[in-house]
Coordinates of all heavy atoms in Angstrom, one line a residue:
E1 N 14.5 -8.3 -15.4 CA 13.9 -9.5 -16.1 C 12.7 -10.0 -15.3 O 11.8 -10.6 -15.8 CB 15.0 -10.5 -16.2 CG 16.0 -10.1 -17.3 CD 17.2 -11.1 -17.3 OE1 17.3 -11.9 -16.4 OE2 18.0 -11.0 -18.3
V2 N 12.8 -9.8 -13.9 CA 11.6 -10.2 -13.1 C 10.4 -9.4 -13.5 O 9.3 -10.0 -13.6 CB 12.0 -10.0 -11.6 CG1 10.7 -10.2 -10.8 CG2 13.0 -11.0 -11.1
F3 N 10.6 -8.1 -13.7 CA 9.4 -7.3 -14.1 C 8.9 -7.6 -15.5 O 7.7 -7.5 -15.7 CB 9.8 -5.8 -14.0 CG 9.7 -5.3 -12.6 CD1 10.8 -5.3 -11.7 CD2 8.4 -4.8 -12.1 CE1 10.7 -4.8 -10.4 CE2 8.3 -4.3 -10.8 CZ 9.4 -4.3 -10.0
I4 N 9.8 -8.0 -16.4 CA 9.4 -8.5 -17.7 C 8.5 -9.7 -17.5 O 7.5 -9.9 -18.2 CB 10.6 -8.7 -18.6 CG1 11.3 -7.4 -18.9 CG2 10.1 -9.5 -19.9 CD1 12.6 -7.6 -19.7
M5 N 8.9 -10.6 -16.7 CA 8.2 -11.8 -16.4 C 6.8 -11.5 -15.9 O 5.8 -12.1 -16.3 CB 8.9 -12.7 -15.4 CG 8.1 -13.9 -14.9 SD 8.9 -14.7 -13.5 CE 8.5 -13.6 -12.2
L6 N 6.7 -10.5 -15.0 CA 5.4 -10.1 -14.5 C 4.4 -9.5 -15.5 O 3.2 -9.8 -15.5 CB 5.6 -9.1 -13.3 CG 6.4 -9.7 -12.1 CD1 6.5 -8.6 -11.0 CD2 5.8 -10.9 -11.5
M7 N 5.0 -8.7 -16.4 CA 4.2 -8.1 -17.5 C 3.7 -9.1 -18.5 O 2.6 -9.1 -18.9 CB 5.0 -7.0 -18.2 CG 5.2 -5.7 -17.3 SD 6.1 -4.4 -18.1 CE 7.8 -5.0 -18.0
V8 N 4.5 -10.1 -18.7 CA 4.1 -11.2 -19.6 C 3.0 -12.0 -19.0 O 2.0 -12.4 -19.6 CB 5.3 -12.1 -20.0 CG1 4.8 -13.4 -20.7 CG2 6.3 -11.4 -20.8
A9 N 3.1 -12.2 -17.7 CA 2.0 -12.9 -17.0 C 0.7 -12.2 -17.0 O -0.4 -12.8 -17.2 CB 2.4 -13.1 -15.5
D10 N 0.7 -10.9 -16.9 CA -0.5 -10.1 -17.0 C -1.1 -10.2 -18.4 O -2.3 -10.2 -18.6 CB -0.2 -8.6 -16.7 CG -0.5 -8.3 -15.2 OD1 -1.1 -9.1 -14.6 OD2 0.0 -7.3 -14.7
F11 N -0.2 -10.2 -19.4 CA -0.7 -10.4 -20.8 C -1.4 -11.7 -21.0 O -2.5 -11.8 -21.6 CB 0.5 -10.3 -21.8 CG 0.1 -10.6 -23.2 CD1 -0.6 -9.7 -24.0 CD2 0.4 -11.8 -23.8 CE1 -0.9 -9.9 -25.3 CE2 0.1 -12.1 -25.1 CZ -0.6 -11.1 -25.9
F12 N -0.9 -12.8 -20.4 CA -1.6 -14.1 -20.5 C -2.9 -14.1 -19.7 O -3.8 -14.8 -20.1 CB -0.6 -15.2 -20.1 CG 0.4 -15.6 -21.1 CD1 1.7 -15.3 -21.0 CD2 -0.1 -16.3 -22.3 CE1 2.6 -15.7 -21.9 CE2 0.8 -16.6 -23.3 CZ 2.2 -16.4 -23.1
A13 N -2.9 -13.4 -18.6 CA -4.1 -13.3 -17.8 C -5.2 -12.7 -18.6 O -6.4 -13.1 -18.6 CB -3.9 -12.5 -16.5
L14 N -4.8 -11.7 -19.4 CA -5.8 -11.0 -20.3 C -6.3 -12.0 -21.4 O -7.5 -12.0 -21.7 CB -5.2 -9.8 -20.9 CG -6.0 -8.9 -21.8 CD1 -7.2 -8.3 -21.0 CD2 -5.2 -7.8 -22.5
L15 N -5.4 -12.8 -21.9 CA -5.8 -13.7 -23.0 C -6.8 -14.8 -22.5 O -7.8 -15.2 -23.2 CB -4.6 -14.4 -23.5 CG -3.7 -13.6 -24.4 CD1 -2.5 -14.5 -24.9 CD2 -4.4 -13.0 -25.6
T16 N -6.7 -15.2 -21.2 CA -7.6 -16.2 -20.7 C -9.0 -15.8 -20.6 O -9.9 -16.6 -20.6 CB -7.1 -16.7 -19.3 OG1 -7.2 -15.6 -18.4 CG2 -5.7 -17.3 -19.4
L17 N -9.2 -14.4 -20.6 CA -10.6 -13.9 -20.4 C -11.2 -13.6 -21.8 O -12.3 -13.1 -21.8 CB -10.6 -12.6 -19.6 CG -10.2 -12.8 -18.1 CD1 -10.1 -11.4 -17.4 CD2 -11.1 -13.7 -17.4
S18 N -10.5 -13.9 -22.9 CA -11.0 -13.4 -24.2 C -12.4 -13.9 -24.5 O -13.3 -13.2 -25.0 CB -10.0 -13.9 -25.3 OG -9.8 -15.3 -25.2
R19 N -12.7 -15.2 -24.2 CA -14.1 -15.7 -24.5 C -15.1 -15.0 -23.7 O -16.2 -14.6 -24.2 CB -14.1 -17.2 -24.3 CG -15.5 -17.8 -24.8 CD -15.5 -19.3 -24.6 NE -15.6 -19.6 -23.2 CZ -16.8 -19.7 -22.6 NH1 -17.9 -19.5 -23.2 NH2 -16.9 -20.0 -21.3
L20 N -14.9 -14.9 -22.4 CA -15.8 -14.2 -21.5 C -16.0 -12.7 -21.9 O -17.1 -12.2 -21.8 CB -15.3 -14.3 -20.0 CG -15.3 -15.7 -19.5 CD1 -14.8 -15.7 -18.0 CD2 -16.6 -16.4 -19.5
L21 N -14.9 -12.1 -22.3 CA -15.0 -10.7 -22.7 C -15.9 -10.6 -23.9 O -16.8 -9.7 -24.0 CB -13.6 -10.2 -23.1 CG -12.7 -9.9 -21.9 CD1 -11.3 -9.6 -22.4 CD2 -13.2 -8.7 -21.1
K22 N -15.8 -11.5 -24.9 CA -16.6 -11.4 -26.1 C -18.1 -11.6 -25.7 O -19.0 -10.9 -26.2 CB -16.2 -12.5 -27.0 CG -17.0 -12.6 -28.3 CD -16.5 -13.7 -29.2 CE -17.4 -13.8 -30.5 NZ -17.0 -14.9 -31.4
N23 N -18.4 -12.6 -24.8 CA -19.7 -12.8 -24.4 C -20.3 -11.6 -23.6 O -21.5 -11.3 -23.9 CB -19.8 -14.1 -23.5 CG -19.5 -15.4 -24.2 OD1 -19.5 -15.4 -25.5 ND2 -19.1 -16.4 -23.5
E24 N -19.5 -11.0 -22.7 CA -20.1 -9.9 -22.0 C -20.3 -8.7 -22.9 O -21.3 -8.0 -22.7 CB -19.1 -9.5 -20.9 CG -19.1 -10.5 -19.7 CD -18.4 -9.9 -18.5 OE1 -17.7 -8.9 -18.6 OE2 -18.4 -10.6 -17.4
V25 N -19.4 -8.4 -23.8 CA -19.6 -7.3 -24.7 C -20.8 -7.5 -25.6 O -21.6 -6.6 -25.8 CB -18.3 -7.1 -25.6 CG1 -18.6 -6.1 -26.7 CG2 -17.2 -6.6 -24.7
N26 N -21.0 -8.7 -26.1 CA -22.2 -9.0 -26.9 C -23.5 -8.9 -26.1 O -24.5 -8.3 -26.6 CB -22.1 -10.4 -27.5 CG -21.0 -10.5 -28.6 OD1 -20.6 -9.5 -29.2 ND2 -20.6 -11.7 -28.8
K27 N -23.5 -9.4 -24.9 CA -24.6 -9.3 -24.1 C -25.0 -7.8 -23.7 O -26.1 -7.4 -23.7 CB -24.4 -10.1 -22.8 CG -25.6 -10.1 -21.8 CD -25.3 -10.9 -20.6 CE -26.5 -10.9 -19.6 NZ -26.2 -11.8 -18.4
F28 N -23.9 -7.1 -23.4 CA -24.1 -5.6 -23.1 C -24.7 -4.9 -24.3 O -25.6 -4.0 -24.2 CB -22.8 -5.0 -22.7 CG -22.9 -3.6 -22.3 CD1 -23.5 -3.2 -21.1 CD2 -22.4 -2.6 -23.1 CE1 -23.5 -1.8 -20.7 CE2 -22.4 -1.3 -22.8 CZ -23.0 -0.9 -21.6
S29 N -24.1 -5.2 -25.5 CA -24.6 -4.5 -26.7 C -26.1 -4.8 -27.0 O -26.8 -4.0 -27.4 CB -23.7 -5.0 -27.9 OG -22.4 -4.6 -27.7
R30 N -26.4 -6.1 -26.8 CA -27.8 -6.5 -27.1 C -28.8 -5.8 -26.1 O -29.9 -5.4 -26.4 CB -28.0 -8.0 -26.9 CG -27.4 -8.8 -28.1 CD -27.9 -10.2 -28.1 NE -27.5 -10.9 -26.9 CZ -26.4 -11.6 -26.7 NH1 -25.5 -11.7 -27.7 NH2 -26.2 -12.3 -25.6
S31 N -28.3 -5.7 -24.8 CA -29.2 -5.0 -23.8 C -29.3 -3.5 -24.1 O -30.4 -3.0 -23.9 CB -28.6 -5.2 -22.4 OG -27.4 -4.5 -22.3
R32 N -28.3 -2.9 -24.7 CA -28.4 -1.5 -25.0 C -29.3 -1.3 -26.2 O -30.2 -0.4 -26.2 CB -27.0 -0.9 -25.4 CG -26.1 -0.9 -24.2 CD -26.5 0.1 -23.2 NE -26.6 1.5 -23.7 CZ -25.5 2.3 -23.7 NH1 -24.4 1.9 -23.2 NH2 -25.6 3.5 -24.2
V33 N -29.2 -2.2 -27.2 CA -30.1 -2.1 -28.4 C -31.5 -2.3 -28.0 O -32.4 -1.6 -28.4 CB -29.7 -3.1 -29.5 CG1 -30.7 -3.2 -30.6 CG2 -28.3 -2.8 -30.0

């Protein structure tokens, strides 16, 4: 159950970056175009 707790924590860590991920992907796509 401790390891389940740690995996859930990593999932939430990923969610917190969602806005920055979107911005970085969009910026990278524009630079490639």
Side-chain angles (χ1 to χ4, degrees):
E1 292 173 346
V2 170
F3 278 93
I4 292 173
M5 175 190 76
L6 300 180
M7 289 184 280
V8 171
D10 267 344
F11 175 75
F12 281 111
L14 184 63
L15 288 182
T16 62
L17 294 177
S18 56
R19 188 181 72 86
L20 296 180
L21 287 172
K22 179 181 178 181
N23 292 341
E24 284 191 355
V25 170
N26 290 339
K27 183 179 179 180
F28 181 74
S29 300
R30 288 195 300 269
S31 66
R32 293 294 297 272
V33 171

